[in-house]
Amino acid sequence: MAAVTAMVGLVAFFLALIVATDGAGSGFVAWSAAVGIAVFAALWRGRRRSWRGRLVPFLPVLVAAALTLSVCVPTVSTTRRYPPALSFVTTEHWRLSTGSRVAVYHYPPTGNSPRRRVPLVYLHGGPVRGISVLDHRFLRRLAGQGYDVYAYEQAGGGRSDLLPMDQYSITRFVRDLGAFVGKLGKGRVDVLGFSSGAVVLTRALADPAIAAHLRRAVIAEPGPMDGPTARIAGQKGRPSARGIAPAMTGPRSTHVPRYAVAFGLMRLGLLSSDNGLVGQAEGDNAFTATDLGSDTASAYCARDADRIPVEDTAENFSFSAAASLRIQQTIKDSPSIAPQLRRSRTPAMLMIAECSSQVRQWQTTILADNPAIQRTQYMPGVGHHMWNSLGDNDQRAAAVITAFLQDKPAPLPDYPTRADVPAFLRDHK
């Protein structure tokens, strides 16, 4: 029992040193200090014993040293390995004026629908995640309706180049959008922003220099737009599949001690995003879709728990947990953008899912503060990921989006309006 206690104590001491040193030297600084002190303590405890007795205090030290050493040794490449090329669309790389080098995908208009002269730019969710195969499928649907669709993966996500960790911020991502539209060189564009991409779009609408280049904006299932909004502890939508969907299968980086410790401590805020334990490239290589666990299920309605689609392939999946946490922190630390957003004049539409995993007040705050939102579309029967290849969900989402972009009557009632918000928050729980 004493040996077990000593071993557990040494492991706890090692983890405390990991936090204290911010994982310096891939964790070897903490490991060396912990093992060194433990060896000294073992020698001290055994100093008056026989030579056999002196070995006893070393047994828990050896076991704990082996366990903790596994936290210090990478099991994947520490150099970024980007996803291979997609078979159905060409990947281009554009260097933006901000310095970001991003992966760009272009879906020219196809099908028999009239060609739309205004390009449509898609801002994906994440943040700092690759564009999923499910999203690519939806973009092809929009192109099939005559839209000239462009999408790019945020810096650090997918096939886009990494940034130094201290350069990730919500402000940088907004500037990247402005730089992308400028490099596209096709005049004003329409923008569809989803989830964290909707946050980037909302903040762009509050920046007159960027908003001047946006013709129409679709804000789909946004997260918090600024620090005050992020601190709202409100309600969510109707029940999602979180906690009731079958567990995701596949490899998990969090089953490896090194990454379980690194990602766990980062999520708790005990390790910085730029820590010395696991570098950005290694973390990106290690993280898998299965690591997202119930986060994926939370994007679907409870009724869809047993038929959640595979959103991505293992080869295409990409997510930077460290950079994502940093982006989210810069949002939490940012001042209110409400005064700027209230001056927005770019026609916009807000899309809200019935089983939204987002806090309702994140969405209704944007509705309240942006006078240029012309319609709101409450999407029944879908969760946070509104286009998901289930039933007619993609068709319904596309109909709502294209009707607004073409300034045609909405397929659904304009709901909730600003006047409806109190009742909406009361009735849609």
Side-chain angles (χ1 to χ4, degrees), residues 387-399:
W387 42 89
N388 52 37
S389 295
L390 295 178
D392 65 348
N393 290 343
D394 286 16
Q395 179 182 342
R396 292 193 296 128

Side-chain angles (χ1 to χ4, degrees), residues 95-124:
R95 176 72 68 180
L96 304 180
S97 59
T98 57
S100 300
R101 185 173 180 268
V102 297
V104 180
Y105 308 94
H106 180 209
Y107 291 103
T110 60
N112 299 320
S113 299
R115 299 301 191 255
R116 311 298 171 185
R117 63 179 183 80
V118 179
L120 173 61
V121 175
Y122 177 61
L123 297 176
H124 63 89

Side-chain angles (χ1 to χ4, degrees), residues 55-126:
L55 296 178
V56 174
F58 282 94
L59 293 177
V61 174
L62 290 174
V63 174
L67 289 174
T68 52
L69 183 61
S70 65
V71 175
C72 305
V73 180
T75 63
V76 299
S77 174
T78 57
T79 301
R80 181 69 175 112
R81 290 181 175 173
Y82 293 93
L86 294 165
S87 61
F88 49 81
V89 65
T90 300
T91 305
E92 299 180 30
H93 284 90
W94 291 9
R95 176 72 68 180
L96 304 180
S97 59
T98 57
S100 300
R101 185 173 180 268
V102 297
V104 180
Y105 308 94
H106 180 209
Y107 291 103
T110 60
N112 299 320
S113 299
R115 299 301 191 255
R116 311 298 171 185
R117 63 179 183 80
V118 179
L120 173 61
V121 175
Y122 177 61
L123 297 176
H124 63 89

Side-chain angles (χ1 to χ4, degrees), residues 304-351:
D304 294 325
D306 293 323
R307 61 168 192 160
I308 293 176
V310 176
E311 294 190 341
D312 214 347
T313 63
E315 295 78 17
N316 185 63
F317 178 80
S318 170
F319 181 65
S320 176
S324 182
L325 288 171
R326 182 173 176 84
I327 293 288
Q328 293 174 60
Q329 190 59 51
T330 65
I331 295 173
K332 294 175 183 177
D333 292 341
S334 68
S336 172
I337 64 167
Q340 295 82 10
L341 191 59
R342 291 184 188 121
R343 295 194 288 270
S344 176
R345 296 296 178 266
T346 303
M349 176 179 72
L350 177 65
M351 296 177 70

Side-chain angles (χ1 to χ4, degrees), residues 232-240 242 295 298 352-363 378 424-425 427-429:
I232 295 175
Q235 65 204 56
K236 298 183 180 181
R238 300 265 164 80
S240 75
R242 188 184 188 100
D295 283 352
S298 70
I352 301 176
E354 177 184 3
C355 310
S356 178
S357 57
Q358 307 289 69
V359 173
R360 291 295 197 197
Q361 285 87 342
W362 294 348
Q363 303 158 347
Y378 176 74
F424 174 75
L425 294 176
D427 298 337
H428 290 79
K429 298 181 180 178

Side-chain angles (χ1 to χ4, degrees), residues 39-385:
V39 167
F40 178 81
L43 288 171
W44 179 261
R45 287 197 301 272
R47 70 190 185 281
R48 294 176 181 171
R49 301 179 184 180
S50 66
W51 71 269
R52 289 181 183 275
R54 292 176 185 174
L55 296 178
V56 174
F58 282 94
L59 293 177
V61 174
L62 290 174
V63 174
L67 289 174
T68 52
L69 183 61
S70 65
V71 175
C72 305
V73 180
T75 63
V76 299
S77 174
T78 57
T79 301
R80 181 69 175 112
R81 290 181 175 173
Y82 293 93
L86 294 165
S87 61
F88 49 81
V89 65
T90 300
T91 305
E92 299 180 30
H93 284 90
W94 291 9
R95 176 72 68 180
L96 304 180
S97 59
T98 57
S100 300
R101 185 173 180 268
V102 297
V104 180
Y105 308 94
H106 180 209
Y107 291 103
T110 60
N112 299 320
S113 299
R115 299 301 191 255
R116 311 298 171 185
R117 63 179 183 80
V118 179
L120 173 61
V121 175
Y122 177 61
L123 297 176
H124 63 89
V128 202
R129 183 173 175 176
I131 299 176
S132 70
V133 170
L134 204 60
D135 279 3
H136 277 290
R137 189 179 303 157
F138 185 66
L139 298 181
R140 290 202 299 272
R141 172 183 284 273
L142 294 175
Q145 295 181 241
Y147 289 90
D148 193 18
V149 180
Y150 289 84
Y152 67 92
E153 288 171 315
Q154 299 156 346
R159 296 164 184 82
S160 294
D161 286 4
L162 306 181
L163 294 175
M165 190 59 70
D166 62 359
Q167 291 187 24
Y168 288 105
S169 71
I170 190 61
T171 301
R172 173 62 171 265
F173 279 12
V174 172
R175 290 173 51 224
D176 279 352
L177 171 60
F180 180 84
V181 173
K183 190 173 182 67
L184 187 59
K186 295 193 173 185
R188 292 201 302 164
V189 302
D190 294 330
V191 182
L192 165 61
F194 167 65
S195 193
S196 63
V199 176
V200 174
L201 176 55
T202 299
R203 294 179 69 99
L205 294 173
D207 185 329
I210 298 175
H213 300 284
L214 310 183
R215 189 188 74 102
R216 287 188 168 241
V218 178
I219 305 167
E221 277 288 286
M225 66 181 185
D226 54 24
T229 310
R231 289 188 284 275
I232 295 175
Q235 65 204 56
K236 298 183 180 181
R238 300 265 164 80
S240 75
R242 188 184 188 100
I244 61 175
M248 294 181 67
T249 59
R252 292 178 183 266
S253 69
T254 47
H255 286 172
V256 179
R258 176 173 175 81
Y259 306 112
V261 168
F263 295 142
L265 292 178
M266 277 191 283
R267 193 170 184 83
L268 292 171
L270 299 176
L271 277 186
S272 71
S273 55
D274 198 18
N275 67 82
L277 180 59
V278 173
Q280 179 185 177
E282 182 189 350
D284 291 6
N285 293 338
F287 204 92
T288 70
T290 314
D291 285 323
L292 292 173
S294 58
D295 283 352
T296 297
S298 70
Y300 294 84
C301 289
R303 67 178 71 97
D304 294 325
D306 293 323
R307 61 168 192 160
I308 293 176
V310 176
E311 294 190 341
D312 214 347
T313 63
E315 295 78 17
N316 185 63
F317 178 80
S318 170
F319 181 65
S320 176
S324 182
L325 288 171
R326 182 173 176 84
I327 293 288
Q328 293 174 60
Q329 190 59 51
T330 65
I331 295 173
K332 294 175 183 177
D333 292 341
S334 68
S336 172
I337 64 167
Q340 295 82 10
L341 191 59
R342 291 184 188 121
R343 295 194 288 270
S344 176
R345 296 296 178 266
T346 303
M349 176 179 72
L350 177 65
M351 296 177 70
I352 301 176
E354 177 184 3
C355 310
S356 178
S357 57
Q358 307 289 69
V359 173
R360 291 295 197 197
Q361 285 87 342
W362 294 348
Q363 303 158 347
T364 57
T365 296
I366 293 176
L367 177 62
D369 290 336
N370 185 350
I373 292 180
Q374 297 181 344
R375 66 176 72 165
T376 302
Q377 299 284 267
Y378 176 74
M379 305 292 292
V382 295
H384 179 60
H385 206 154

